[in-house]
Amino acid sequence: MSDPPSVPAALRETAASNSAPMPLTAEAPPPLRVRGSLQGDLVRLGVLPCAVLALALTGWFTHARLATLEAQFNAEGQAIARQVAAMSDLSLYAGDVPALQNVVGAALRGGQAARIEISNSAGIFVAAGPAPAGDAPLRTFSAPVTLREASRAAAFAPAGSTTAGDAPIGLVQAFLDTTAHAQERTRTLMTGIGLAVLALLMAWAAVRHMARSIARPLRRVTRTVAALQAGQFDARCDVAAPPPRFSHAGRAEAPHHEFADLARDVNRLAERLQQHQQVSEQRVREATAVALMRMAEAEQAALSRARFLAAASHDLRQPLHAMGLFIDGLLDGATEAQRPALARLQESAAFMGVLLDDLLEISRLDAQVLAPTLADVPLAPMFDALAAQHAARAAEARVRLVWRDRGRAVRSDAALLQRVVGNLVANAIRHAPLDGTVLVAARPCAAGVRIEVRDNGVGIAPIHQSRIFEEFYQVANTERDRRQGFGLGLAICARIAALLETRIALRSALGLGSTFSVALPAAEGAAAAAAPAPAPVPAGLAGLRCLVVDDDPAILEGTAALLRQWECRCDTAATAHEALALLEADGTRYDVLLCDLQLAGGEDGMDVVAAAQRLHPQAQTVIVSGATGPEDLKRLRQHGAMLLTKPVAPAKLRALLAARRLAA
């Protein structure tokens, strides 16, 4: 488990220093691997010697007891055989069979022998008791019958009492039943085994109790350490030593115990960790407060920048729009000597318009007023449209464009995707060498389809690759030549790609060209490559009734002059009140309303648009404004108003009016 983030840096440094490798001169010993558990080891350590000792003592006791039983049984059988031999010597010598029968009968009635037999070589055989069967548990004891002296005939004959040189005159056999003897042996064995088992159980219980008393405090210490490792620095180990004892002198003697000392050390470590955690949390809170304050300052600065860009863009668009209208109106009547100067003015106004359009696009993307409309987009018609759009520029730069759609389609917003790929193609044409090649291809990838724009130019150094998507950052345009762009195209592409929930990837190296790619999901269905719709034929604008509302006299005059030059019927209004009066006049029927968003005196152009939509529903209402603030863009999007951003190119305005005439 990794250390919690609140562990102080000092402790991490201490841990790192403790875990530092040993010097190279000393080899680290191999790790000591342990198995099982401490409690199990203690149980085995205590039970094993007790088991060995108990088994040894039980075996010795049982063996001695069984040997004693065997000796007693053998002695008893031998004594019976000798007693019968001593009592039957004279009767066997005299051949007195009845006397012999009395002797064996008397011996049998003692209950110790199961059968008695007396025999000699003369054919005398006297027996008492049942004949032994083949599987009878009997044991035989034999004793020779020797003739004793007359003075000692009535007594038992001890060993060596016969006359020297006398031979035995017969044989006595005593058969003893071993059933009782075997039962006694079994009882002895069972008693020994029972004692051994009892000793083992007692030893196991005692050792287990002692092992628990040792393992229990260790478990508590382990749980406390685990809690500290998990970040619970308020955990404490509740293992304490026994209460102090008082000596004979009356002094208190605190008992010493290793587990209690270990618990105190762990608790002291927990207290230090808790203190460091509190200090760290306080520092984190202070750093978070500083970060939040700086974030708020950055957000405020961004808002201020957005407001500044919106205001500056609006203030610049107003005169630029008027200038473009007047220049376009002057071109038709200009002399040959005036046309180059007017062309230069028109080119400069166009560059300023492009810059303002890019700033507006970034402002709209940052304000998140654009919502992509996802659909199946076949790449073939989009590549054809881009090829037609960039063919002239590629021919001028002597760059060959190669398009390979391979019949694929993606799931995306067609307009936004075309804007991204178009910007990447324009950027590749700008940086491709003479007689170079720009390849635009669709390839399969894990995400679905990857659209690549590849050129064989000089490439981009790694130091610049992380910054080329920043605003106004250009690698090879340090002199800021406006003909090479303003450094906003890739920034806009990156924002649009984020809006499409993807990103622009870059692979490049110096001298090997660059490859920009966008990965998109494949189309859900088989999107057929629809042929591009034919461009509408420009229609004449004669007789088109237009109403122009703007508080800037120059723009109002320039727009009216341009529309009248196109043979349109044009009315103008400088205020919302004048515009409403014209809209409410009897017998008027407007086809197009061109209205500024911000009018003089705080009037709102959306009120004029709403009145026109109510009084002239057939009219096309268009907001012509230089406002680029996020709030204004959101409001226009909510009302569904069409927007033309100042400065409006006359060709774009004429195309809009022509489309309106065709729709009518």
Side-chain angles (χ1 to χ4, degrees):
M1 182 182 293
S2 61
D3 294 335
S6 58
V7 174
L11 294 181
R12 290 197 296 268
E13 293 175 0
T14 303
S17 63
N18 292 336
S19 60
M22 297 179 64
L24 298 177
T25 56
E27 294 184 359
L32 178 62
R33 302 187 180 276
V34 294
R35 299 179 180 177
S37 61
L38 177 62
Q39 183 172 346
D41 294 341
L42 291 175
V43 169
R44 287 189 294 271
L45 180 62
V47 171
L48 186 60
C50 294
V52 172
L53 181 60
L55 291 176
L57 291 177
T58 302
W60 175 81
F61 171 76
T62 304
H63 180 268
R65 177 61 178 165
L66 292 178
T68 301
L69 290 176
E70 188 69 19
Q72 289 178 354
F73 187 79
N74 292 335
E76 182 179 2
Q78 197 65 36
I80 292 174
R82 288 178 179 176
Q83 183 180 9
V84 172
M87 294 176 61
S88 60
D89 55 349
L90 295 180
S91 300
L92 184 61
Y93 181 77
D96 188 357
V97 174
L100 292 176
Q101 291 178 347
N102 291 333
V103 171
V104 296
L108 195 62
R109 284 191 295 272
Q112 296 176 340
R115 178 180 174 84
I116 302 295
E117 295 180 356
I118 301 176
S119 61
N120 62 2
S121 58
I124 297 176
F125 180 79
V126 178
D135 55 350
L138 300 177
R139 187 180 296 182
T140 304
F141 298 94
S142 302
V145 180
T146 56
L147 187 62
R148 297 175 297 167
E149 296 179 359
S151 59
R152 302 170 61 185
F156 289 107
S161 60
T162 59
T163 306
D166 292 342
I169 60 175
L171 180 65
V172 174
Q173 288 184 332
F175 296 88
L176 271 67
D177 191 353
T178 60
T179 302
H181 176 64
Q183 292 176 353
E184 186 64 23
R185 287 173 58 88
T186 302
R187 281 195 298 271
T188 301
L189 286 174
M190 295 303 296
T191 301
I193 294 174
L195 290 175
V197 172
L198 181 61
L200 289 176
L201 289 176
M202 293 178 63
W204 177 80
V207 172
R208 187 168 180 267
H209 176 71
M210 289 185 291
R212 282 185 174 181
S213 64
I214 295 175
R216 189 180 298 114
L218 285 180
R219 288 197 193 99
R220 295 193 177 185
V221 172
T222 303
R223 284 197 298 267
T224 305
V225 173
L228 295 177
Q229 189 177 9
Q232 302 174 6
F233 298 120
D234 56 345
R236 296 294 184 269
C237 184
D238 54 347
V239 177
R245 295 172 297 183
F246 293 92
S247 61
H248 296 290
R251 292 180 301 178
E253 297 179 353
H256 175 73
H257 199 281
E258 289 77 4
F259 287 154
D261 295 342
L262 178 61
R264 283 195 297 269
D265 294 340
V266 171
N267 290 337
R268 283 196 294 268
L269 176 62
E271 292 175 358
R272 293 188 60 186
L273 288 175
Q274 189 174 19
Q275 293 174 359
H276 286 291
Q277 182 198 25
Q278 293 173 355
V279 173
S280 300
E281 289 179 351
Q282 180 63 28
R283 293 178 179 175
V284 168
R285 284 193 294 268
E286 295 175 356
T288 303
V290 173
L292 291 176
M293 181 179 63
R294 292 180 178 176
M295 185 182 300
E297 293 176 354
E299 292 178 354
Q300 185 64 31
L303 292 176
S304 300
R305 185 189 67 174
R307 287 193 296 268
F308 171 76
L309 287 177
S313 176
H314 179 269
D315 294 341
L316 288 174
R317 286 176 186 277
Q318 292 290 104
L320 186 60
H321 179 57
M323 184 173 63
L325 295 175
F326 282 114
I327 292 174
D328 195 75
L330 291 174
L331 278 174
D332 292 337
T335 63
E336 292 298 329
Q338 294 172 341
R339 283 185 178 276
L342 290 176
R344 293 286 184 179
L345 287 175
Q346 192 175 37
E347 181 184 2
S348 299
F351 281 130
M352 292 183 64
V354 171
L355 176 59
L356 290 176
D357 287 341
D358 289 343
L359 291 175
L360 171 64
E361 190 71 18
I362 290 179
S363 178
R364 294 173 65 190
L365 291 171
D366 289 341
Q368 299 180 354
V369 298
L370 294 179
T373 302
L374 300 182
D376 291 345
V377 181
L379 297 182
M382 186 183 76
F383 282 9
D384 292 341
L386 290 174
Q389 177 182 350
H390 295 280
R393 183 181 300 177
E396 182 181 357
R398 293 171 54 185
V399 174
R400 186 169 66 98
L401 286 176
V402 180
W403 305 86
R404 294 177 182 173
D405 60 274
R406 293 185 173 87
R408 291 188 168 86
V410 297
R411 185 74 176 173
S412 183
D413 186 291
L416 295 178
L417 179 60
Q418 184 169 344
R419 176 73 183 276
V420 171
V421 179
N423 279 0
L424 294 179
V425 171
N427 190 67
I429 293 174
R430 186 181 302 115
H431 294 92
L434 292 177
D435 299 325
T437 301
V438 173
L439 171 64
V440 184
R443 307 181 187 277
C445 65
V449 178
R450 184 175 67 251
I451 301 176
E452 294 183 352
V453 179
R454 179 179 301 178
D455 65 73
N456 57 352
V458 296
I460 303 173
I463 192 174
H464 299 297
Q465 293 182 11
S466 61
R467 298 193 58 192
I468 61 173
F469 294 100
E470 298 178 4
E471 298 89 344
F472 300 105
Y473 187 83
Q474 292 178 292
V475 177
N477 190 15
T478 55
E479 63 277 7
R480 306 302 299 174
D481 184 2
R482 61 172 179 252
R483 289 172 296 181
Q484 299 184 24
F486 300 98
L488 295 174
L490 290 179
I492 293 174
C493 289
R495 285 169 166 81
I496 296 177
L499 190 63
L500 296 176
E501 297 182 356
T502 183
R503 56 181 295 271
I504 300 176
L506 169 63
R507 298 195 312 273
S508 181
L510 289 177
L512 299 178
S514 304
T515 300
F516 292 85
S517 61
V518 179
L520 297 166
E524 297 178 357
V537 178
L541 303 181
L544 195 67
R545 190 70 180 268
C546 303
L547 174 60
V548 181
V549 183
D550 202 302
D551 59 345
D552 191 321
I555 293 178
L556 199 61
E557 181 183 352
T559 306
L562 188 61
L563 291 175
R564 293 188 181 105
Q565 185 178 343
W566 293 340
E567 300 181 357
C568 296
R569 297 173 58 189
C570 180
D571 294 334
T572 60
T575 64
H577 179 72
E578 295 177 4
L580 292 176
L582 292 174
L583 290 172
E584 294 174 352
D586 295 335
T588 58
R589 183 181 182 276
Y590 290 107
D591 298 310
V592 178
L593 170 67
L594 302 175
C595 183
D596 193 5
L597 181 63
Q598 299 174 354
L599 299 176
E603 294 180 332
D604 191 356
M606 289 303 300
D607 297 335
V608 180
V609 171
Q613 291 174 348
R614 183 179 72 256
L615 299 173
H616 299 264
Q618 78 285 350
Q620 182 175 7
T621 56
V622 181
I623 291 292
V624 182
S625 175
T628 58
E631 296 81 4
D632 297 329
L633 297 175
K634 288 182 179 179
R635 191 160 62 94
L636 292 175
R637 182 173 176 271
Q638 290 172 358
H639 288 80
M642 184 177 182
L643 174 65
L644 285 181
T645 306
K646 294 179 181 179
V648 180
K652 187 174 182 180
L653 180 59
R654 184 181 180 88
L656 175 65
L657 298 179
R660 175 67 184 88
R661 170 53 61 91
L662 287 176

